Amino acid sequence: MPDTPEQYSLPPASRDTDPESSHEAEAKHKARGSHKNMALILVRRYPGSTAQELAIHCEHLMLHHELLRRLCDLADHRDGRIYRGEQRKCRVTGRKMLTWHPDWSKLIPKV
């Protein structure tokens, strides 16, 4: 069983004979998956950060609202790889915002 999200490999969702719109939808879906991986990596690297603070580290690869959606997806997923923390003053906006934390107990494989 794969240990990290990067190790999962799925078969293509569209066939060569499918219309171009199917291939575009597949590409968008794959990008969303890589955005989830990026969000997970950011939370692991910068635990306790707000979404705005994490967005700075994306280097314009993902907009703040896209990152926030992926963070919510990861927190709401049944395996809960990350969780919402306390609110604090964001270093970017100066407003109170939620912090995001990895759930290390679910990220570290059990032996």
Side-chain angles (χ1 to χ4, degrees):
M1 185 163 141
D3 290 335
T4 63
E6 296 84 6
Q7 291 175 317
Y8 286 93
S9 178
L10 298 174
S14 58
R15 288 174 256 142
D16 292 339
T17 56
D18 287 345
E20 186 60 32
S21 59
S22 295
H23 296 284
E24 290 172 8
E26 179 181 8
K28 190 171 185 174
H29 181 74
K30 282 183 180 178
R32 225 179 271 132
S34 64
H35 283 173
K36 268 190 186 177
N37 288 339
M38 185 185 304
L40 180 58
I41 290 165
L42 286 169
V43 172
R44 285 181 184 176
R45 193 168 292 161
Y46 306 102
S49 296
T50 66
Q52 285 282 6
E53 293 165 354
L54 292 171
I56 289 172
H57 300 290
C58 287
E59 300 179 9
H60 307 291
L61 296 174
M62 190 175 6
L63 299 174
H64 165 257
H65 70 276
E66 294 172 319
L67 175 60
L68 187 56
R69 286 182 190 145
R70 300 299 76 85
L71 292 170
C72 290
D73 289 347
L74 287 166
D76 294 339
H77 193 267
R78 63 184 163 90
D79 67 1
R81 293 183 199 154
I82 68 171
Y83 64 93
R84 295 167 179 88
E86 297 295 319
Q87 288 188 359
R88 68 161 171 78
K89 185 176 178 180
C90 177
R91 293 186 280 273
V92 176
T93 66
R95 297 187 319 250
K96 275 193 153 191
M97 299 182 82
L98 283 174
T99 56
W100 299 90
H101 304 268
D103 186 344
W104 294 111
S105 67
K106 295 183 180 173
L107 292 171
I108 300 170
K110 294 180 180 156
V111 182

